[in-house]
Amino acid sequence: MKDLTLDEYQYYGRQMLVPEFGKSGQVKLKNSTVAIIGAGGLGCPCGLYLGCAGVGTLKIVDFDTVDTSNLHRQIAHTEIGANKAESLAKAIKQRNANVRALPYPVPFAADNASQLLEDVDLVLDCTDSPAIRYLINDICYAKQLPLISAAALRSEGQLSILCYPGGPCYRCLFPHMPAVSQSCSDNGILGPVVGVMGVMQAAEALKFLALGPPQEVSMLIFSLFSPVPWRRIKMKGKRPDCINCGENGPDATKLATYYANVCDTYPVL
Amino acid sequence: MKDLTLDEYQYYGRQMLVPEFGKSGQVKLKNSTVAIIGAGGLGCPCGLYLGCAGVGTLKIVDFDTVDTSNLHRQIAHTEIGANKAESLAKAIKQRNANVRALPYPVPFAADNASQLLEDVDLVLDCTDSPAIRYLINDICYAKQLPLISAAALRSEGQLSILCYPGGPCYRCLFPHMPAVSQSCSDNGILGPVVGVMGVMQAAEALKFLALGPPQEVSMLIFSLFSPVPWRRIKMKGKRPDCINCGENGPDATKLATYYANVCDTYPVL
Amino acid sequence: MKVTVEVGGGLEMIFGGKRSQVVAFTGGSMQALLEYIAKEVVEDQSKLDVFILDGNVRPGILVLINDSDWELEGELEYEVQDGDHVLFTSTLHGG
Amino acid sequence: MKVTVEVGGGLEMIFGGKRSQVVAFTGGSMQALLEYIAKEVVEDQSKLDVFILDGNVRPGILVLINDSDWELEGELEYEVQDGDHVLFTSTLHGG
Ligand SMILES: [Zn+2]
Ligand SMILES: [Zn+2]
């Protein structure tokens, strides 16, 4: 592993003072590559905090461009019409020249998913579509890449850690694809709600990279207007009959049916 | 109250779709003035999210300048040596021209505290020092200004809502000033930890401005390395013997002793 | 017995916007609680099918009993206890 | 009985870095639990005074029983129950 430079000691000094994290955590961050799929309401704060915290290489994938209606929550962007992956990468570089922030201004899709995740240590799902969420999950399981998945809508959020050795996949937790999907554009979102989920995703990523996978299968749920805004839910682990990671391995027929229905093509592994 | 412009409808459209918030919440935000004391690890994300969410006027108070060792967590800043209040105000203006972000590059102190909080509807304590935290509290109680106080250190954070009508003050919850104070500079802090507390503070501010004070006295505590990272703690309400807001009103002698010991001067009300 | 019923993920819309309420339940299994909620607690009966389908919770809705997935607790057979907290919410996909 | 003892705010340093552990407690009041923790659970006895002062929890340390401030539960007189979660943490001031 590459050691820290003098500049990096100065930059990250306050983090290395945290006992559980320390210098060893900082060196692990420096030597890690994290993929951020989606540079929107989740990806912006998540990418900024991970870039500033010192993740050595960030791959940022987003094909979309910045619209006025994004600005209230996508706090890394300042320019209407810019590609979101490029805009977020630029914002990270402005703040921390010690890390590499690599923009991929392409759609994350079945035919390039596996290639985009080459040499990656951890994947962060910051997307806004259920079809892509299942695709990211299936690729992560196939490539044995841990996945931190966050989502937000209106005044609520959810976060789970998946696909680490022995852990469940997204399909284990959520076997039923919803009939009707609800996006932030159509159903609304409060800026600080998706923001807090994106920063939590960065916090969990930092913990994962420094200390490894969680001991228990759980999901964090957030609801700003609930009397108890945060809950940590104990979840069932791997589902033996999961069509992706179950006891009999990926069920090619069922997955093919799934992809035929929701994606253009079956993922290339 | 001033209504929204056409530009604002476009900018804030996704927030107004959230049922509990709606157009009435957005209009209340536009007509509110919020003071952010401290533009560091808490103030940066808190200010960015509140500015982008559409709080009409933000007063940002910070005398400090940006140092390399701040950048890992103070994500609004990009320029070493800049004043933090000015840097945060500039970052907000870059993102949302609909709001006023007013920097006050002065120390928040006993002799200017009351004046800095003129015409303010809500105060956010984003500071890094216990003495200033008690000062902010005493002024907020005296001026009947609600206060949202957040704090973070190492891998943990705390947040409480104070000084609203009938609610407790900071001294009710924490009557004992610590003998030894621990700052982020000396004891370390993980970027996403203070980040998540700052965004939560913005989320609570948005809820407070749109829907009013909480029904129950509680404190949110966050601990990244705890098995249950977020807990919402039920707290005792107003303390009848509080030296600030207790049954007999502010105890001038005890407060004077306090200020003589920790501040240069007694606050000017 | 008293049971706290909390809903989220959009389901609050058929509960008159109420996210959390304490209901008086005569006791029984989750199956019985579901029937009680569907009949007595849901306010917009015309949209009951976003919550209940064929006598069970609609696929895609998470059921959490005292901060545990109900699959860990026996699902419909779980015997509801006084003071339980039951939360129904949808999987979110936005970002 | 089994009691989960969680510590934070820097106190974990005298508990050998352990933030959360289940301890076997013979039962009694919070006063008795405090004595037990001070004697049997704290690992760095040389720094016990950052936690316990004059037989009570040091001023400035928050004591939370099952997610409630212990002032709501009777403080030292609270009768500890099997399965209780007790959290000791410090007030934070950083930002
Ligand atoms: Zn699976
Ligand atoms: Zn008070």
Side-chain angles (χ1 to χ4, degrees):
Chain A
M1 286 217 215
K2 279 182 280 183
D3 201 352
L4 303 180
T5 65
L6 205 63
D7 277 357
E8 288 171 330
Y9 269 101
Q10 207 185 349
Y11 195 102
Y12 305 123
R14 298 303 176 266
Q15 290 192 154
M16 290 189 276
L17 285 172
V18 177
E20 285 95 338
F21 188 72
K23 190 191 159 185
S24 91
Q26 197 64 55
V27 170
K28 282 181 194 162
L29 246 58
K30 174 173 176 164
N31 289 278
S32 296
T33 298
V34 172
I36 297 178
I37 321 292
L42 292 166
C44 280
C46 186
L48 279 183
Y49 275 99
L50 286 181
C52 291
V55 170
T57 305
L58 288 164
K59 292 183 164 191
I60 302 162
V61 187
D62 202 320
F63 184 58
D64 200 13
T65 52
V66 178
D67 179 80
T68 303
S69 66
N70 298 150
L71 295 177
H72 80 100
R73 66 189 188 277
Q74 303 186 11
I75 55 149
H77 306 318
T78 52
E79 195 192 329
I80 308 290
N83 171 268
K84 291 184 182 179
E86 285 168 356
S87 167
L88 174 55
K90 192 175 131 195
I92 294 169
K93 284 177 203 164
Q94 269 183 328
R95 286 158 177 79
N96 190 0
N98 300 301
V99 300
R100 293 196 308 158
L102 309 175
Y104 293 84
V106 298
F108 188 90
D111 58 359
N112 68 356
S114 180
Q115 196 196 326
L116 283 167
L117 300 183
E118 276 308 304
D119 306 316
V120 161
D121 301 302
L122 175 65
V123 178
L124 304 184
D125 185 344
C126 301
T127 62
D128 195 16
S129 130
I132 306 294
R133 288 182 178 274
Y134 285 93
L135 171 63
I136 291 173
N137 175 68
D138 298 347
I139 297 280
C140 281
Y141 176 71
K143 295 179 77 92
Q144 302 187 310
L145 292 176
L147 168 63
I148 302 180
S149 180
L153 193 74
R154 289 186 282 255
S155 58
E156 300 177 45
Q158 292 168 353
L159 185 150
S160 43
I161 307 180
L162 307 162
C163 297
Y164 53 88
C169 82
Y170 189 75
R171 289 184 191 273
C172 291
L173 261 52
F174 312 114
H176 304 286
M177 170 111 174
V180 184
S181 155
Q182 302 198 302
S183 71
C184 291
S185 295
D186 295 338
N187 295 273
I189 180 73
L190 296 176
V193 168
V194 64
V196 86
M197 297 312 299
V199 185
M200 266 311 291
Q201 209 174 3
E204 292 290 351
L206 189 150
K207 184 165 72 173
F208 193 103
L209 293 170
L211 302 176
Q215 301 296 309
E216 278 196 315
V217 182
S218 69
M219 177 169 62
L220 271 178
I221 64 176
F222 174 67
S223 174
L224 182 62
F225 299 122
S226 161
V228 179
W230 287 95
R231 287 182 183 277
R232 181 258 200 178
I233 309 292
K234 274 191 206 169
M235 300 296 284
K236 225 177 143 171
K238 275 177 94 75
R239 199 177 281 273
D241 61 349
C242 176
I243 66 167
N244 183 44
C245 76
E247 279 166 356
N248 303 316
D251 183 325
T253 317
K254 283 188 182 154
L255 285 172
T257 310
Y258 166 79
Y259 283 103
N261 288 330
V262 302
C263 291
D264 294 334
T265 49
Y266 195 77
V268 182
L269 293 176
Chain B
M1 286 216 216
K2 280 182 279 183
D3 201 353
L4 303 179
T5 65
L6 205 63
D7 277 356
E8 289 170 330
Y9 269 102
Q10 207 184 350
Y11 195 103
Y12 305 123
R14 298 302 176 266
Q15 291 192 153
M16 291 190 275
L17 284 172
V18 176
E20 285 95 337
F21 188 73
K23 190 193 158 184
S24 90
Q26 196 64 56
V27 170
K28 282 181 194 162
L29 247 58
K30 174 174 176 164
N31 289 278
S32 295
T33 298
V34 172
I36 297 178
I37 322 290
L42 292 166
C44 280
C46 186
L48 279 183
Y49 275 99
L50 286 181
C52 290
V55 170
T57 305
L58 288 164
K59 292 183 165 192
I60 302 162
V61 187
D62 202 319
F63 185 58
D64 200 12
T65 52
V66 178
D67 179 80
T68 303
S69 66
N70 299 149
L71 295 176
H72 80 101
R73 67 189 188 277
Q74 302 185 12
I75 55 149
H77 306 318
T78 52
E79 195 192 330
I80 308 289
N83 170 269
K84 290 183 181 178
E86 284 167 358
S87 167
L88 175 55
K90 191 175 131 195
I92 295 168
K93 284 176 202 164
Q94 268 183 329
R95 286 158 176 79
N96 190 0
N98 299 301
V99 300
R100 294 196 307 158
L102 309 176
Y104 294 83
V106 297
F108 188 90
D111 59 358
N112 68 355
S114 181
Q115 196 197 325
L116 283 167
L117 300 184
E118 276 308 304
D119 306 317
V120 161
D121 300 303
L122 175 66
V123 178
L124 303 183
D125 185 344
C126 301
T127 62
D128 196 15
S129 131
I132 305 295
R133 288 183 178 274
Y134 284 93
L135 171 63
I136 291 173
N137 175 68
D138 298 347
I139 296 280
C140 282
Y141 177 70
K143 296 179 76 93
Q144 302 188 311
L145 293 176
L147 168 63
I148 302 180
S149 180
L153 193 74
R154 289 185 283 255
S155 59
E156 299 177 44
Q158 291 168 354
L159 184 149
S160 43
I161 307 180
L162 306 162
C163 296
Y164 54 87
C169 83
Y170 189 75
R171 290 185 190 273
C172 291
L173 261 53
F174 311 115
H176 303 286
M177 170 111 174
V180 184
S181 156
Q182 302 198 304
S183 71
C184 291
S185 296
D186 296 338
N187 295 273
I189 180 73
L190 296 175
V193 168
V194 65
V196 87
M197 297 313 298
V199 185
M200 266 311 289
Q201 209 175 3
E204 292 289 351
L206 190 149
K207 185 166 71 173
F208 193 102
L209 293 170
L211 302 175
Q215 300 295 309
E216 279 195 316
V217 181
S218 69
M219 177 168 63
L220 272 177
I221 65 176
F222 175 67
S223 174
L224 182 62
F225 300 123
S226 161
V228 180
W230 287 96
R231 287 183 184 275
R232 181 259 201 176
I233 309 293
K234 274 191 207 170
M235 300 296 283
K236 224 177 146 174
K238 274 177 96 73
R239 200 176 280 273
D241 61 348
C242 176
I243 65 166
N244 183 43
C245 78
E247 279 166 356
N248 302 316
D251 184 326
T253 316
K254 284 188 181 152
L255 285 172
T257 310
Y258 167 78
Y259 283 103
N261 288 330
V262 303
C263 291
D264 294 334
T265 49
Y266 195 78
V268 182
L269 293 176
Chain C
M1 61 177 67
K2 287 184 174 176
V3 178
T4 303
V5 175
E6 186 171 341
V7 292
L11 289 175
E12 67 279 8
M13 291 167 194
I14 65 162
F15 286 79
K18 292 187 200 81
R19 289 186 174 271
S20 184
Q21 53 192 305
V22 178
V23 304
F25 176 52
T26 51
S29 64
M30 270 301 285
Q31 175 86 58
L33 181 65
L34 266 187
E35 283 162 18
Y36 171 78
I37 293 171
K39 205 172 153 198
E40 305 291 340
V41 188
V42 169
E43 296 192 9
D44 186 353
Q45 288 287 333
S46 72
K47 289 184 187 147
L48 186 61
D49 65 334
V50 304
F51 175 43
I52 305 281
L53 204 69
D54 303 329
N56 202 337
V57 171
R58 194 187 178 95
I61 292 179
L62 298 164
V63 185
L64 310 164
I65 302 173
N66 300 327
D67 292 351
S68 286
D69 186 348
W70 77 333
E71 293 192 29
L72 295 168
E73 305 292 335
E75 304 192 43
L76 288 171
E77 277 88 60
Y78 172 79
E79 195 64 22
V80 178
Q81 309 289 312
D82 187 34
D84 273 354
H85 177 272
V86 181
L87 169 56
F88 302 94
T89 193
S90 314
T91 314
L92 306 179
H93 305 96
Chain D
M1 61 177 65
K2 287 185 174 174
V3 177
T4 303
V5 175
E6 186 171 342
V7 293
L11 289 174
E12 66 279 8
M13 291 165 194
I14 66 163
F15 287 78
K18 293 188 200 79
R19 290 185 173 271
S20 184
Q21 53 192 306
V22 178
V23 304
F25 176 53
T26 51
S29 65
M30 270 300 286
Q31 175 85 59
L33 181 65
L34 267 187
E35 283 161 18
Y36 172 77
I37 293 171
K39 205 171 153 198
E40 305 291 341
V41 188
V42 169
E43 297 193 8
D44 185 353
Q45 289 287 334
S46 72
K47 291 186 187 146
L48 186 60
D49 65 336
V50 305
F51 175 42
I52 305 280
L53 204 68
D54 303 328
N56 202 337
V57 171
R58 193 185 179 94
I61 293 180
L62 298 164
V63 185
L64 309 165
I65 302 172
N66 300 327
D67 292 351
S68 287
D69 187 349
W70 77 331
E71 293 192 28
L72 295 167
E73 306 292 335
E75 303 191 42
L76 289 171
E77 276 88 61
Y78 172 80
E79 195 64 24
V80 178
Q81 309 290 311
D82 187 35
D84 273 353
H85 177 272
V86 181
L87 169 57
F88 302 94
T89 193
S90 314
T91 314
L92 307 178
H93 305 97

